[in-house]
Structure formats: C-alpha cells, structure tokens
Amino acid sequence: MDKLVIHGGTRLKGEVIISGAKNAAVAIIPATLLIDGICTISNIPAISDVKISCKILQELGAKLTWNTPNEVTIDTRNITCANAPIDMTSKFRASYYLIGSLLGRCKSAVVGLPGGCNLGARPIDQHIKGFEALGANVEVSQGKITATAKKLVGTSIYLDMVSVGATINIMLASVLAQGTTIIENAAKEPHIVDVANFLNAMGADIRGAGTDVIKINGVEKLVGNTSYSVVPDQIEAGTFMLAAVATKGDLLIKNCIPEHLDCLTAKILEMGANVEYNDDSIHVFANKRPNKANIKTMPYPGFPTDLQPQIGVCLALANGTSIINEGIWDSRFQYTAELNKMGANITAQGKSAIFEGVKELYGAPVEATDLRAGAALIIAGIVAKGETSITNLVHIDRGYENIEEKFRGIGANIQRVVDEEI
Ligand code: EPU
C-alpha cells in the first residue's frame, strides 16, 4: 500500500494554486451526455474520481480528447448505450449523476449503486423521488438502479432535506423534459450554480441556481459547440486556509473565489488568524496558537461538512475546549481516533465531538479513513513533531490534485512512498 511520509514541525509559507472543483467536475462530465454535440471543459482537476467518470463516458460511446491534463473535449454525438459498467460506478459517489444524465438523454439508465467515502448512511431516496415525479419508473435491485421513462414531464419537486446530489440529479433529468420543473428546498452550493451555468452555456434554460428554488424550462436539445471552465474548488481552498492556521503559516491561495469561503473566513478570524481577500486569491496568515471555536456543519452557505476534519486539526491544537456538531453525515468523526494517535485529546460521540486543545501533536502511523480525513491528517502531520505516515491514499487521490507537490511547494517535507519501496 502506498503511503505519505511527512516530517513535521513546518510553518507553511508561499503560494498555492487551487484546482477546479471536484464536486462540480464529477457532475459536469456526466452532464455532457445530455449534449448532442461537442464541448470542451477546462480547469478539470486531475483526480481519480474524474478519471473514472471519463472512462465510463467512453464505455457509453463518448469520444474524449485530452488537450492538456486539465482540459478535455468530449463528443457525445454517438452515445450507444445507457448501461454504465457496475464495477466502475461502485468506485465513487458521483456515479449517481449518470442516472439523471442517461435518463434525460436516453429515457433509460442502468447504473450500479454508487460507492465513495463511508460517512454513514448515504440514501438516494430524494433523487429517486425526483425521477419518479418526472415520470420515470425506478427500480433498485441486485446492486443496480434501473430507471426508464416513456417521456419526462416537468413538475414541482420539494426535497425533504437539502441535498446537493438530488438537486443536481433532478436538474440533469429535467433539462430535456417537457415543460417546467421546479425544485424547492434546493441545495445552494457553488457547484450547483456551476453545473447550471454549464448546462445553460450548452443551451439549457435553468434559473435560480444558488437559491432554494430552481426552475428548469425544458428544451428540445443541448447543442454544445462551446467551452466551459470549471469553478475553483472551495473545499481545496479551505483546506489550504486551514493548513495556514494550523501551522501558524502564511499562504497566498490563488485561483479561488473568496466569497465562497465567507463562513470559513469568519471562523478563522474567530480563531485569531488573519484573512485578506483579493479578487481571486485569499491571504491567510497566523502567528499564534488558534483560539477555541465551536462549529456546526450545515448546507451552503453554512459551514461545510467537507472542511470539518481540517478545522478539527486546528481545534485539536487550540487554546481551550471546542465543540463540533456535524449536521450532515452520521459518521464523519473517524479521523478523530487517528488524531488522538498523534496526541490530540478529542472525544467523539455520535454527531458531536469535544476537542480539548493540546499544545503539540506528535508524528504517528495513521490511516486516511475518508477523503477529507486524509487532508486533515496531512495538515496534522505537517504540524506534528517527528514522522507521520498516512496510508489508504486512495481516498485522498479521489479528490485532491497533486496534493503532495502542492504542499511541498509551500515548504512541507512530504513524500509519497510507493508500494514496492515499502
Ligand atoms: N440525503 C438523504 N436522501 C437523499 C440524499 C441525501 O437522506 O436522497 C441526506 C444524506 O444522507 C445527508 C444529507 O441528505 O445526510 C445531505 O446529502 P447530500 O445529498 O447533500 O450529499 P451528496 O450529494 O451525497 C455531496 C458531496 C459530498 C458532501 C455533501 C454535502 C459530491 C459528489 N459529494 O454529497 O462531498 O459532503 O454533498 O455537502 O458532490 C467530499 O467531497 O468529501 C464529499 C463527501
């Protein structure tokens, strides 16, 4: 098994460039299935979830040409099949976007149940409720979701809870439906706006993305023939902002949209570090131990669950006792057991955790239990005295492009040791 080996005790300093957003890219790539034409997408992060998404598209008959490692031209004129290979779809969560996209295009989709990080129960009942409301018949059996429809007709769909995945999937399924679809209690994350912008650039008529009511006027065809650049990844930007706080560092985080990070900035200021916004970059600098702070994760524009483990590292090192309440996932505190191996003092129970701040962390062998847990452990390893080794990198590679190169570029002593060398 590959591992990351970090020699810690480093104050991070310098500039880092943020990649395109994972959670936008993994929706935009399947969304190209709705286009009867060619489009070019740039600012795509080179991460494994994107690579597998692209492979699935090829299996379905799309032609992909990589112009650079971060730009691809996709020709979806000859889609031959609506059955996504099950072994591939089970490797990542966002494979569920193939259901909305294939249903929209072919009125038929067979997709294996999605995989991804184990964060507790991850039902897709709201996605299914949306597809059924549009007129599809959906069956889940033997590890597969089969959706078919004679035609899709727009309607009003009220989501029982704010769901990123269901909002995007219903948008995908309804873009080519007859009439108007209204999604109420929709999620408002920047990547939802990005997917809507992408579809509109290709000829769709989606209004209200970024608010909690989205209106989709069905169109006959998406023509493509244009290019689109994926929005910067606010979670990656937030990860580096928190790395600056934890290491008492000084980082200029470039190619991001500062306003997407307002809730994190508020917490960083509360923790006693400094944040300056420029047009498309954020400067974060700290010169003292973080203050304690309490966090409750919520849908956007609340504090993102995907930055909870990374801020957890700062709170593990804070001056005083902090509490995190996780508002989205049942099981997002697995990383706390790993941080405790490094000398943290965290008690997690259910969806809450108490962080008794310690002055120092110490290197230890730890495991990336999920994607954001992995990012948190890298930050902890950079702060900690001595050597930390992190295994189970498959999670980290799903969502962060060139992560060790980026951290090395700002002063971290981090190396990837590949299997044969261990
Ligand atoms: N939920 C349901 N039924 C549904 C859908 C969701 O009960 O049909 C519940 C979930 O169990 C959860 C809540 O609603 O408690 C929110 O789930 P959501 O659907 O918003 O999550 P998701 O679409 O599966 C995306 C991101 C996650 C991120 C969440 C929340 C992708 C591919 N994944 O997941 O990202 O944590 O939104 O913001 O976009 C990550 O990047 O590390 C990651 C886990």
Side-chain angles (χ1 to χ4, degrees):
M1 208 192 295
D2 293 0
K3 60 180 182 179
L4 286 175
V5 177
I6 304 171
H7 291 97
T10 309
R11 178 172 187 257
L12 296 176
K13 194 166 178 354
E15 297 182 2
V16 61
I17 296 175
I18 299 305
S19 300
K22 160 189 170 273
N23 289 341
V26 294
I28 287 174
I29 291 163
T32 62
L33 288 167
L34 292 162
I35 301 169
D36 191 9
I38 302 172
C39 67
T40 296
I41 308 167
S42 56
N43 205 30
I44 295 190
I47 53 174
S48 64
D49 272 11
V50 160
K51 285 179 193 152
I52 190 148
S53 212
C54 290
K55 270 196 196 147
I56 294 175
L57 237 58
Q58 280 171 317
E59 294 284 323
L60 297 172
K63 231 170 88 187
L64 277 75
T65 312
W66 287 93
N67 309 317
T68 73
N70 300 106
E71 184 184 288
V72 64
T73 297
I74 304 182
D75 178 349
T76 42
R77 284 174 299 181
N78 294 310
I79 295 302
T80 48
C81 166
N83 289 24
I86 292 187
D87 55 328
M88 291 191 189
T89 56
S90 63
K91 291 213 168 90
F92 69 123
R93 190 76 200 156
S95 57
Y96 50 37
Y97 293 135
L98 291 159
I99 313 169
S101 305
L102 286 169
L103 193 58
R105 176 167 183 139
C106 312
K107 307 288 171 287
S108 159
V110 183
V111 178
L113 284 170
C117 291
N118 176 10
L119 308 172
R122 298 186 75 171
I124 56 164
D125 55 299
Q126 298 302 300
H127 305 229
I128 294 173
K129 170 175 140 171
F131 301 144
E132 287 177 340
L134 292 168
N137 178 36
V138 185
E139 266 180 38
V140 184
S141 75
Q142 299 178 335
K144 280 186 305 197
I145 304 154
T146 306
T148 47
K150 284 205 177 76
K151 61 177 180 177
L152 297 169
V153 182
T155 182
S156 260
I157 300 159
Y158 181 89
L159 296 179
D160 295 344
M161 74 283 299
V162 178
S163 159
V164 170
T167 302
I168 294 179
N169 232 342
I170 296 169
M171 230 158 61
L172 294 170
S174 56
V175 157
L176 299 175
Q178 286 176 18
T180 298
T181 302
I182 295 173
I183 308 174
E184 291 182 80
N185 198 25
K188 298 184 280 225
E189 271 69 3
H191 37 286
I192 289 174
V193 179
D194 205 44
V195 178
N197 286 344
F198 167 75
L199 290 166
N200 283 344
M202 302 298 144
D205 181 359
I206 302 172
R207 297 159 194 218
T211 75
D212 46 22
V213 180
I214 302 180
K215 194 170 159 189
I216 303 121
N217 294 314
V219 294
E220 273 189 11
K221 200 172 151 148
L222 298 191
V223 284
N225 298 332
T226 183
S227 50
Y228 190 81
S229 176
V230 175
V231 71
D233 195 316
Q234 95 264 28
I235 302 300
E236 191 197 6
T239 300
F240 282 101
M241 289 168 77
L242 290 164
V245 176
T247 64
K248 299 182 198 134
D250 185 340
L251 293 181
L252 183 65
I253 296 147
K254 292 171 111 172
N255 185 35
C256 61
I257 300 177
E259 292 68 30
H260 289 169
L261 288 143
D262 282 349
C263 59
L264 175 61
T265 295
K267 281 293 159 190
I268 291 180
L269 296 174
E270 195 180 320
M271 288 192 289
N274 306 288
V275 183
E276 288 169 2
Y277 282 6
N278 306 311
D279 284 350
D280 62 353
S281 66
I282 305 178
H283 182 198
V284 182
F285 50 106
N287 48 22
K288 64 180 185 69
R289 195 176 168 194
N291 300 329
K292 64 184 178 165
N294 295 328
I295 307 286
K296 163 113 180 117
T297 68
M298 282 190 267
Y300 189 85
F303 192 94
T305 175
D306 294 345
L307 288 172
Q308 191 256 97
Q310 302 89 316
I311 204 163
V313 177
C314 300
L315 300 181
L317 288 158
N319 198 349
T321 304
S322 310
I323 296 175
I324 298 186
N325 284 303
E326 168 59 38
I328 309 291
W329 300 116
D330 290 338
S331 184
R332 202 154 208 179
F333 283 119
Q334 296 169 68
Y335 72 96
T336 59
E338 304 301 301
L339 282 185
N340 284 347
K341 291 180 192 165
M342 301 176 73
N345 183 359
I346 309 165
T347 311
Q349 194 165 36
K351 291 171 83 170
S352 301
I354 301 169
F355 291 68
E356 302 285 356
V358 296
K359 279 196 174 142
E360 278 175 327
L361 294 176
Y362 300 92
V366 288
E367 186 191 336
T369 47
D370 61 65
L371 167 59
R372 309 302 171 185
L377 292 173
I378 292 178
I379 299 173
I382 295 168
V383 177
K385 282 196 166 157
E387 182 179 299
T388 295
S389 60
I390 306 174
T391 49
N392 217 0
L393 305 185
V394 64
H395 288 303
I396 301 176
D397 293 339
R398 289 201 1 252
Y400 286 93
E401 178 174 27
N402 296 335
I403 190 157
E404 63 263 32
E405 284 87 343
K406 288 193 186 186
F407 272 111
R408 263 201 302 273
I410 48 178
N413 182 342
I414 176 170
Q415 306 295 334
R416 182 174 294 238
V417 182
V418 292
D419 203 4
E420 309 85 75
E421 297 172 37
I422 295 176

